[in-house]
Amino acid sequence: MANIAGSEQQEPIRLPWKIFWVAFAIRVLYMTLAHTYRFRPGEDHFQFGWEAGRIARALVNGYGYADPFFGHTGPTAWLPPLYTFIIAAAFKIFGVYSPMAAWSILTLNSVFSALTALAIFEIAYRCFNPKVAIWSAWLWALYPAAMQFAVRWVWEMTLTCLLFSWLIVMTLRMAENGGGSWRQWTVFGALGGLIALTQPTPLMMLPVCVIWVYLKAKARFFPALQKAVAATLIVIAFTMPWVVRNYRIFHTFIPMRDNFGAENYMGNSDWSVGFPWGGLIWYGQNKLQQEYATAGEIAFVKVRGDAAKQWIATHRSRYFQLAALRTYMFWAGVPQPIVPHKEYVEYGREINFAFGSVAGLLGLALALKRKIKGAWLFAAAFLLLPLPYYFVTVQARFRHVFEPLIMILGVYLFQSAEKRRKAPTETMP
């Protein structure tokens, strides 16, 4: 058990490592016994990590950080590098696209997901109470929907979720510690740098976290500014090698990734239905693959980005209809192909997804009403993190980064209802 002291806590918080080990064991056992580490070899193993798997293969085979789709198409900045390097390390040790490489990556995903349970416990403990903390952590450990990305997807969701959850933990700790120590701000900056190299979208929360810490802690301005600047420099230091590499290769400034124009084109064009299912899944189109290889990634993305901007400018009504549809799907569930005679599976998935959203949003509203510590920080995450997906594209996995907060707030909602039911009724004398 680990002790974590907070200046506003009467006793140190003891992290329940038992929950971590149970969560980890369940994930690895399920992944192993259900053989989810055995990916279909169709399309030259593309489902094994998709673009990240392709780039990892190129790294191992000596082509560098390149070739995100089919064939040798040259250098890429389609994805940030951290999770891709993890895949490449597994390929190097166990073989490219081998079952053992998949098993090792999904086992590491399971570590990330299980460690998130500890972050959930501490967030709930600091903001609510021990009962909400223990129920939230156990629910994350045992609930099948919370582990699906860990045991089935070779992608960055579990790592991004872990890093963001611990960023929230550090924010809460620093607020309780009078604005935070230099050591805490160093860890905060390192977490920000790792997020930037994994999935940059949650970086929107960094300035919010900084402002929230100093509003809660009422720290002096100049010492606070010094620590915030130091954390910012740490984030820059983490990302600078990647930025320099991109500039040397592409002769343009690419802070994290360069594929926004292509993604925007997929989400906002004549064929768009609001999400990437049907329409243009361009890596399966030979003509577009050839165009990508011939023009190069930067030019290819620019052409599509310009086309998306032109379409949005001339189809405002349709654009906002799609944005409204994506907003709905982000919280209610993105449709998937329905398998004949198994419609109940898809309906059950959508009901489960929407129920979590409703419970989390109602829990957030209750926390704001009761002025719970951290409620406005959570509200900022609910407001900011989905915004890019409302206007570009949406998938169910995009919500995973703050599903720990959804789970905590849902547990808080039902615990509050239980307290109300158990409250003694007043009787007339």
Side-chain angles (χ1 to χ4, degrees), residues 264 266-269 272-275 311-312 315-334 383 386-395:
N264 199 21
M266 288 177 64
N268 296 295
S269 297
S272 180
V273 293
F275 62 102
W311 186 89
I312 292 170
H315 297 78
R316 291 287 186 182
S317 177
R318 177 60 178 163
Y319 174 63
F320 286 112
Q321 287 176 8
L322 289 174
L325 177 61
R326 282 188 286 256
T327 302
Y328 169 78
M329 288 190 292
F330 186 93
W331 296 103
V334 180
L383 177 66
L387 279 178
Y389 310 120
Y390 296 162
F391 294 100
V392 180
T393 187
V394 65
Q395 293 186 33

Side-chain angles (χ1 to χ4, degrees), residues 39 243 373:
F39 292 95
V243 174
K373 178 176 62 178

Side-chain angles (χ1 to χ4, degrees), residues 174-175 177-180 182 185 210-229:
M174 292 188 298
N177 192 30
W182 280 100
W185 279 101
V210 171
I211 294 170
W212 188 84
V213 165
Y214 288 112
L215 288 177
K216 295 295 290 185
K218 299 178 181 178
R220 291 184 299 167
F221 177 75
F222 285 108
L225 181 63
Q226 289 176 332
K227 293 173 183 176
V229 169

Side-chain angles (χ1 to χ4, degrees), residues 134-205:
I134 201 71
W135 273 97
S136 299
W138 273 117
L139 188 59
W140 183 268
L142 302 176
Y143 189 41
M147 63 181 76
Q148 61 173 322
F149 295 120
V151 300
R152 293 183 177 274
W153 286 64
V154 177
W155 203 251
E156 46 71 28
M157 287 83 71
T158 52
L159 178 56
T160 305
C161 182
L162 170 70
L163 294 171
F164 180 72
S165 298
W166 282 99
L167 186 81
I168 297 298
V169 170
M170 290 307 303
T171 302
L172 295 170
R173 290 184 190 179
M174 292 188 298
E176 293 180 2
N177 192 30
S181 65
W182 280 100
R183 180 176 177 275
Q184 289 175 323
W185 279 101
T186 299
V187 174
F188 180 85
L191 287 169
L194 292 172
I195 289 172
L197 294 174
T198 306
Q199 165 55 277
T201 301
L203 289 179
M204 293 188 294
M205 281 295 295

Side-chain angles (χ1 to χ4, degrees), residues 21-134:
W21 288 113
V22 171
F24 174 67
I26 288 175
R27 283 155 173 76
V28 173
L29 283 172
Y30 176 83
M31 179 261 295
T32 303
L33 297 177
H35 292 173
T36 60
Y37 62 91
R38 294 188 178 275
F39 292 95
R40 288 184 293 178
E43 295 184 313
D44 191 18
H45 302 274
F46 192 70
Q47 291 186 20
F48 191 136
W50 293 276
E51 298 98 311
R54 285 286 194 263
I55 299 169
R57 180 175 67 175
L59 283 166
V60 171
N61 289 335
Y63 293 99
Y65 202 89
D67 308 341
F69 299 104
F70 293 89
H72 299 303
T73 53
T76 183
W78 199 268
L79 299 174
L82 182 56
Y83 195 80
T84 304
F85 287 158
I86 292 173
I87 300 173
F91 284 178
K92 187 71 173 178
I93 296 170
F94 300 110
V96 175
Y97 291 141
S98 69
M100 192 61 197
W103 189 90
S104 66
I105 295 166
L106 295 180
T107 298
L108 189 58
N109 279 359
S110 298
V111 173
F112 298 152
S113 184
L115 286 172
T116 302
L118 300 182
I120 288 171
F121 178 87
E122 184 167 344
I123 292 168
Y125 194 103
R126 291 184 183 277
C127 295
F128 299 101
N129 58 60
K131 187 175 182 180
V132 173
I134 201 71

Side-chain angles (χ1 to χ4, degrees), residues 3 16 18 122 176 234 267 413:
N3 293 340
K18 177 181 178 181
E122 184 167 344
E176 293 180 2
I234 292 170
L413 175 72

